[in-house]
């Protein structure tokens, strides 16, 4: 060691290195828009984000995520807001709201967009604003199963004798408990009252016991079911309706959706609590609610609009692709997700579901 | 080396030290803190908690009801009631629902509301507020320091008399998953050792040029993303995948074998991903065993097998230990791979940690599970080190050569 580097310099460089790994402050003037990626976010970007950006001159940065709520909580705790408008599953939005992690939506916002009455009841919430209506359905590949030989209800989905083949369901109690009760012959209107009782929960899990040996895969990501079906890994799988349509449209798949017993829910837009860009974020959300962008959005991707009366102005061919079309038996054959129920019981039931999965079915 | 140069050498390690403290020690402290410390209630409803602690009656007097209403009212106004009563939700869902019920009907500003008896007001909304049982439970859940999450992470809970009991059967989860995790980690380590040892032995025997080229094949998968490797196994092993296709074409099977979405797939994929972590330390140790030792053994009449058992194997123990510990501890933290290729009974602990961190937002439970996992690894690490150290003393040859 001939030439000594002064210790101070080394320390300084080291600290700089450490600093560089810390998260950066997001750009002061742009808006961060976080959603689920894929065709869904592409549609949001085309119909809502870019036009709004052009109109107002504010730059919008797209982020995609997989519904991890920890990141949002961390933003609130660290007051470092990378995402300004966040697309969340309604259930998650309500959980975050309950925990005080979201900004409240002011009454003036709703007045500004023409009043709450113009929108679905399920789209109006204390901390979030409905984005789209979607549903969990089951689907199969028509190249492997002829539609006339496929199950037509959750009851038949459960019937592995008549409709043999491996199944896949979502790795969550949400939706599955409802489907199990429906398969057990419970009227759709009695599902949530029943699930609020101990006996109802027992009954749902007992019904799930029946199908468990035939569940090849408990899927977590929305992209999994189309893959499982395309690969022939399972014959029937529950899925998000948008993912199935997307695979049919973009990958040339010939999947068929069975809408009977669909579990209907929403995505909501929300703003993390304490975000200094709340006002601008609300402007972007308000833009998404306009009749024209709502109408355009349905044409991009088959999710139902949250604004009433929009769907009816579209051609039948488009109307019939969305979950809430009457050709799908909506609302008589659909389960409307009870977000209040899931807000309260999600945690307890998830724990029980995980425990149930672990135990072998043989009693 | 002069003193000043050793000082500047120390300064060189300062960035690493800072990074270690920031990225390793601080999170561990945070982990313990979230697992044991839930101050939201006592911080959010301070006057109520103080009043309740001062009141020892089975059902407290009017004053406690009044400050509870006022504290809740204040939090509701600032929209912080949810986060304040959250620990109660985790520990006692019924109690949480009772508080939610009160919050729903609470008048705008309780301190100026014209209510003569808050006690009566509470019990009119829910008669359970009159019961001593409610208050006994409430006294327990307002404590800022709690062993609840740690107990829960071991499938334990406290009953009405504060005694430890097992969780109800349909809620027992975490010990089973911990066992699963240890089993998967153990089997994967064993598989890595069985596959990695002969290969390392072979690589160590080659000239460094050839060894370097062959090492590329070991390291190549190392540089590929974990997800890509996992998905390629799905393509290989699934029902209509490459392996089943070949077996069917050869007429070896009539029905596709269940190779994917089960424990077998978890073992195969994780072993493939972790194999380099076993080979690298093993190779280094085996390479450094002086070749004259085996030659000497042979010249003294030892068969190759005997010379392996008495010379090579004992001297490679540090490599086996290092590789196994590395593979085992990394394996314990896996969660994407088992989620993608495993079946319903292959849940690993990190999956539950991720679930609690990301979707359920129960960081207390996630912290407790983290502590359990960390504790398990520590115990294993320390016992292996202990065994190894005592072995070194026992085996003077290995001790000297190191």
């Amino acid at each position: 060691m001939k030439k000594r580097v002064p210790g101070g310099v080394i320390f300084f460089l080291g600290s700089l290195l450490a600093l560089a790994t810390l998260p950066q402050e997001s750009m002061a003037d742009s808006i961060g828009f976080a959603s689920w990626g894929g065709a869904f976010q592409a549609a949001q970007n085309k119909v809502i984000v870019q036009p709004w950006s052009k109109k107002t001159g504010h730059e919008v940065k797209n982020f995609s995520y997989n519904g991890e709520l920890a990141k949002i909580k961390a933003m609130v705790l660290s007051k470092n807001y990378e995402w300004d408008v966040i697309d969340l599953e309604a259930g998650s939005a309500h959980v975050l709201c309950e925990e005080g992690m979201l900004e409240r939506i002011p009454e003036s916002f709703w007045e500004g967009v023409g009043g709450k009455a113009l929108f679905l009841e399920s789209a109006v919430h204390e901390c979030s604003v409905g984005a789209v209506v979607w549903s969990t359905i089951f689907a199969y590949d028509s190249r492997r199963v002829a539609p006339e030989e496929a199950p037509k209800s959750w009851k038949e989905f459960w019937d592995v004798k008549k409709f043999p083949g491996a199944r896949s369901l979502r790795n969550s109690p949400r939706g599955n408990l409802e489907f199990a009760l429906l398969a057990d012959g419970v009227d759709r209107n009695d599902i949530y009252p029943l699930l609020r009782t101990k006996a109802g929960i027992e009954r749902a899990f007992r019904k799930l016991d029946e199908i468990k040996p035939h569940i090849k895969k408990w899927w977590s990501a929305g992209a999994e079911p189309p893959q499982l079906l395309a690969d022939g890994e399972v014959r029937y799988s529950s899925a998000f309706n948008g993912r199935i349509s997307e695979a049919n449209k973009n990958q040339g798949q010939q999947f068929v959706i069975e809408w009977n017993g669909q579990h209907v829910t929403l995505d909501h837009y929300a703003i993390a609590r304490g975000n200094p860009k709340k006002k601008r974020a609300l402007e972007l959300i308000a833009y998404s609610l306009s009749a024209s962008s709502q109408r355009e959005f349905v044409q991009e991707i088959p999710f139902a609009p949250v604004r009433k009366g929009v769907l009816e102005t579209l051609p039948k061919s488009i109307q019939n692709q969305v979950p809430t079309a009457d050709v799908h038996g909506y609302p008589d054959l659909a389960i409307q997700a009870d977000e209040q129920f899931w807000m309260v019981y999600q945690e307890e039931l998830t724990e029980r579901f995980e425990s149930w999965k672990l135990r072998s079915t043989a009693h | 080396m002069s003193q000043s140069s050793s000082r500047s050498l120390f300064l060189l390690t300062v960035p690493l030290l800072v990074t270690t403290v920031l990225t390793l020690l601080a999170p561990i402290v945070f982990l313990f803190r979230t697992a044991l410390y839930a101050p939201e209630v006592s911080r959010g409803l301070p006057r109520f908690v103080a009043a309740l602690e001062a009141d020892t009656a089975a059902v407290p007097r009017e004053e406690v009801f009044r400050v509870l209403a006022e504290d809740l009212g204040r939090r509701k106004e600032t929209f912080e009631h949810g986060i304040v009563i959250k620990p109660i939700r985790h520990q006692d869902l019924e109690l949480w629902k009772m508080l939610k019920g009160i919050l729903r009907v609470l008048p705008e500003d309780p301190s100026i509301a014209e209510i003569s008896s808050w006690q009566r007001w509470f019990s009119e909304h829910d008669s359970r507020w009159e019961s001593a049982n409610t208050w006994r439970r409430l006294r327990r859940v307002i404590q800022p320091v709690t062993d609840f999450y740690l107990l829960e992470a071991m499938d334990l809970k406290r009953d009405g008399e504060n005694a430890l009991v097992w969780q109800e059967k349909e809620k027992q989860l975490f010990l089973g998953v911990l066992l699963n995790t240890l089993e998967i980690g153990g089997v994967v380590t064993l598989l890595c050792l069985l596959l990695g040892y002969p290969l390392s032995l072979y690589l160590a025997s080659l000239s460094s040029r050839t060894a370097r080229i062959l090492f590329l094949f070991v390291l190549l998968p190392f540089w590929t993303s974990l997800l890509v490797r996992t998905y390629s196994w799905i393509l290989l092993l699934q029902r209509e995948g490459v392996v089943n296709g070949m077996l069917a074409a050869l007429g070896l099977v009539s029905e596709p074998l269940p190779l994917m979405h089960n424990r077998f797939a978890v073992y195969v994929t994780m072993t493939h991903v972790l194999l380099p972590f076993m080979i690298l330390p093993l190779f280094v140790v085996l390479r450094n065993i002086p070749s004259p030792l085996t030659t000497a053994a042979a010249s003294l009449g030892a068969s190759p097998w005997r010379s392996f058992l008495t010379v090579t194997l004992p001297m490679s123990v540090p490599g086996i230990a290092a590789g196994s510990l590395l593979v085992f501890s990394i394996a314990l933290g896996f969660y994407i791979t088992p989620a993608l290729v495993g079946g319903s009974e292959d849940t690993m602990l990190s999956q539950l940690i991720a679930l609690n961190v990301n979707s359920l937002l129960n960081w207390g439970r996630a912290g407790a599970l983290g502590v359990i996992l960390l504790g398990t690894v520590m115990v294993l690490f320390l016992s292996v080190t202990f065994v190894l150290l005592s072995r070194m003393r026992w085996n003077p040859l290995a001790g000297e050569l190191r």
Side-chain angles (χ1 to χ4, degrees):
Chain A
M1 280 197 187
K2 292 266 163 61
K3 227 174 172 180
R4 275 187 48 227
V5 184
V9 172
I10 294 168
F11 182 78
F12 176 75
L13 287 176
S15 318
L16 213 65
L17 206 70
L19 273 179
T21 59
L22 293 174
Q24 312 260 315
E25 187 75 33
S26 57
M27 281 181 64
D29 219 42
S30 70
I31 285 279
F33 181 86
S35 183
W36 301 77
F40 181 58
Q41 191 163 5
Q44 286 175 319
N45 189 47
K46 185 174 164 194
V47 175
I48 300 158
V49 171
Q50 288 313 324
W52 181 80
S53 175
K54 213 163 279 162
K55 192 179 137 203
T56 60
H58 297 304
E59 195 198 335
V60 183
K61 257 172 109 173
N62 273 295
F63 296 92
S64 51
Y65 80 128
N66 268 316
E68 304 92 350
L69 305 185
K71 174 125 187 176
I72 300 164
K73 186 169 171 178
M75 275 187 234
V76 175
L77 295 180
S78 68
K79 303 214 181 303
N80 189 345
Y81 303 93
E82 201 176 7
W83 304 345
D84 301 302
V85 175
I86 308 166
D87 186 302
L88 289 155
E89 271 190 56
S92 306
H94 298 349
V95 167
L96 284 172
C97 180
E98 166 63 29
E99 294 202 3
M101 291 289 155
L102 298 179
E103 281 291 333
R104 276 181 288 186
I105 305 296
E107 287 299 316
S108 60
F109 171 86
W110 290 108
E111 285 155 21
V113 293
K116 290 178 181 175
L118 293 182
F119 302 91
L120 300 177
E121 212 180 307
S122 49
V124 179
H125 194 260
E126 192 178 4
C127 307
S128 55
V129 177
V132 289
V133 183
W134 54 276
S135 69
T136 308
I137 42 73
F138 72 83
Y140 51 89
D141 186 350
S142 64
R143 282 182 283 215
R144 294 171 196 273
V145 190
E148 50 279 1
E149 285 161 18
K152 291 277 177 290
S153 65
W154 285 104
K155 199 172 204 145
E156 294 187 340
F157 182 95
W158 247 254
D159 188 346
V160 289
K161 284 215 181 71
K162 210 165 147 200
F163 306 95
R167 266 76 163 159
S168 180
L169 287 172
R170 190 180 183 183
N171 190 16
S172 160
R174 195 187 152 93
N176 289 340
L177 296 183
E178 289 94 320
F179 298 146
L181 288 183
L182 214 53
D184 208 24
V186 174
D187 185 87
R188 69 182 182 100
N189 293 313
D190 298 335
I191 288 177
Y192 289 107
L194 199 56
L195 282 178
R196 284 188 162 85
T197 66
K198 220 175 147 76
I201 298 283
E202 298 294 334
R203 183 167 168 188
F205 274 103
R206 263 204 311 278
K207 191 67 185 175
L208 279 170
D209 278 345
E210 286 175 26
I211 196 89
K212 191 180 175 197
H214 308 280
I215 302 292
K216 184 105 185 253
K217 177 77 198 157
W218 297 95
W219 58 268
S220 310
E224 282 179 83
Q227 198 61 49
L228 290 165
L229 292 173
D231 293 343
E233 193 64 11
V234 302
R235 222 164 155 85
Y236 307 104
S237 178
S238 70
F240 300 147
N241 76 293
R243 296 285 185 165
I244 297 297
S245 319
E246 185 186 336
N248 284 346
K249 194 172 153 193
N250 301 339
Q251 294 159 24
Q253 299 291 354
Q254 290 169 25
F255 297 148
V256 176
I257 291 176
E258 179 52 64
W259 295 95
N260 184 8
Q262 60 170 318
H263 186 252
V264 181
T265 185
L266 280 83
D267 262 19
H268 275 224
Y269 292 125
I271 302 164
R273 184 153 188 193
N275 191 325
K277 292 185 208 154
K278 177 180 180 182
K279 197 164 156 270
R280 195 169 296 165
L282 280 173
E283 286 167 24
L284 173 54
I285 297 174
Y287 182 84
S288 79
L289 293 179
S290 71
S292 62
S293 70
Q294 291 265 309
R295 202 166 56 228
E296 225 180 301
F297 194 79
V298 189
Q299 287 164 293
E300 284 298 319
I301 197 158
F303 290 118
V306 294
R307 194 183 177 101
K308 293 177 192 163
V310 166
L311 202 57
E312 290 73 9
T313 65
L314 289 162
K316 268 277 177 239
S317 62
I318 289 173
Q319 279 189 40
N320 289 350
Q321 289 178 35
V322 306
T324 58
D326 39 10
V327 288
H328 302 147
Y330 185 87
D332 297 335
L333 298 178
I335 311 165
Q336 200 72 45
D338 184 337
E339 303 299 351
Q340 191 57 33
F341 170 82
W342 282 111
M343 204 274 286
V344 175
Y345 294 102
Q346 174 94 24
E347 185 169 336
E348 187 178 309
L349 289 175
T350 302
E351 188 182 345
R352 174 145 183 192
F353 179 75
E354 288 296 332
S355 163
W356 169 82
K357 263 195 331 181
L358 213 58
R359 273 172 287 138
S360 59
T361 354
H363 299 293
Chain B
M1 211 175 270
S2 71
Q3 208 177 352
S4 68
S5 83
S6 91
R7 205 184 111 237
S8 81
L9 269 181
F10 169 74
L11 280 172
L12 265 173
T13 68
V14 167
L16 179 68
L17 211 64
V18 171
T19 318
T20 312
V21 169
L22 278 180
T23 63
L24 189 71
L25 294 179
I28 288 175
V29 172
F30 180 72
L31 199 69
F32 274 90
R33 195 171 169 275
T34 36
L36 291 167
Y37 187 54
E40 288 89 343
V41 184
S42 52
R43 212 179 271 164
L45 312 171
R47 292 200 306 146
F48 163 66
V49 170
L52 184 58
E53 265 158 14
D55 192 321
T56 49
V59 176
R61 65 210 143 82
E62 167 69 12
E63 168 73 5
V64 176
F65 284 93
R66 186 174 60 78
V67 288
L68 175 57
E70 287 178 15
D71 275 3
L72 283 176
R74 207 165 299 129
R75 290 301 162 190
K76 194 180 172 189
E77 207 186 309
T78 55
F79 194 48
E80 288 168 315
H81 52 279
I83 195 69
V84 162
I85 63 171
K86 184 176 177 180
I88 301 179
R89 175 194 183 136
H90 294 153
Q91 299 180 44
D92 196 328
L93 191 65
E94 280 309 309
L95 208 53
W96 178 80
K97 287 197 317 209
M98 284 168 69
L99 283 165
K100 285 286 288 179
I102 289 299
L103 276 162
R104 208 170 303 129
V105 292
L106 205 63
E108 189 91 4
D109 185 352
S111 59
I112 54 162
E114 282 175 20
I115 287 165
S116 56
S117 165
W118 278 103
Q119 185 160 11
R120 198 175 325 125
W121 184 86
F122 267 80
S123 28
E124 269 165 15
H125 285 294
D126 192 332
S127 60
R128 284 175 296 176
W129 286 106
E130 294 169 43
S131 118
N133 179 34
T134 298
W135 288 95
R136 197 178 55 232
R137 279 152 57 202
L138 200 54
R139 278 174 202 279
R140 191 190 295 168
V141 296
I142 60 173
Q143 300 303 326
V145 176
T146 172
D147 58 5
F148 171 81
Y149 297 107
L150 275 178
L151 292 177
E152 189 191 32
M154 292 183 278
D155 288 337
L156 292 165
K157 62 172 185 179
R158 293 193 181 278
D159 65 3
E161 275 77 52
N162 229 17
L164 283 183
V165 288
W166 289 108
Q167 223 23 296
E168 293 105 76
K169 195 167 173 289
E170 61 268 20
K171 279 192 182 170
Q172 286 181 15
L173 168 63
F174 303 108
L175 281 186
V177 172
L178 181 66
L179 282 179
N180 248 353
T181 309
L182 293 175
E183 189 185 323
I184 292 175
V187 171
V188 167
T189 309
L190 211 64
L191 288 173
C192 281
L193 192 60
L194 287 176
L195 291 172
Y197 199 94
L199 183 67
S200 310
L201 205 57
Y202 173 64
L203 285 172
S205 72
L206 296 171
S207 73
S208 40
R209 219 184 101 89
T210 334
R212 219 174 295 149
I213 294 167
L214 286 181
F215 237 99
L216 211 63
F217 291 99
V218 176
L219 290 176
L220 210 60
F222 208 49
W223 298 325
T224 319
S225 117
L226 174 70
L227 270 180
V228 172
R229 278 184 286 171
T230 306
Y231 273 111
S232 17
W233 277 110
I234 296 181
L235 290 179
L236 284 173
L237 295 180
Q238 65 190 0
R239 197 182 147 84
E240 293 173 15
V242 177
V243 172
N244 267 322
M246 267 164 51
L247 290 176
L250 293 172
L252 292 174
V253 293
S254 52
E255 266 287 294
L257 296 176
L259 302 173
M260 188 34 65
H261 304 306
N262 51 28
R263 187 61 67 90
F264 171 78
V266 175
Y267 287 151
V268 170
T269 314
M270 283 180 65
T271 303
H272 173 234
V273 170
L274 290 170
L275 198 53
F277 290 97
M278 180 64 88
I279 294 176
L280 289 172
L282 268 180
F283 171 78
V284 172
V285 170
L286 287 169
R287 187 83 170 173
N288 286 333
I289 297 176
S291 54
L293 284 180
T294 38
T295 323
S299 74
L300 290 171
S303 66
W305 183 237
R306 174 128 193 241
S307 118
F308 170 75
L309 281 182
T310 52
V311 180
T312 317
L313 189 62
M315 290 189 66
S316 62
V317 166
I320 296 176
S324 303
L325 266 180
L326 209 57
V327 170
F328 187 70
S329 43
I330 300 176
L332 292 189
F334 264 54
Y335 71 100
I336 297 172
T337 307
L340 285 174
V341 305
S344 23
E345 285 153 38
D346 305 320
T347 315
M348 291 181 74
L349 205 59
S350 301
Q351 283 172 268
L352 294 187
I353 296 179
L355 179 76
N356 279 290
V357 170
N358 276 330
S359 342
L360 302 180
L361 288 178
N362 188 341
W363 288 11
R365 186 192 285 159
L369 291 172
V371 168
I372 300 280
L373 192 58
L374 187 71
T376 315
V377 176
M378 289 298 244
V379 167
L380 285 165
F381 180 78
L382 289 177
S383 45
V384 170
T385 316
F386 179 76
V387 168
L388 214 61
L389 279 179
S390 54
R391 212 196 137 83
M392 292 278 194
R393 232 169 285 136
W394 170 81
N395 184 349
L397 188 63
E400 245 172 51
L401 279 163
R402 277 176 57 82

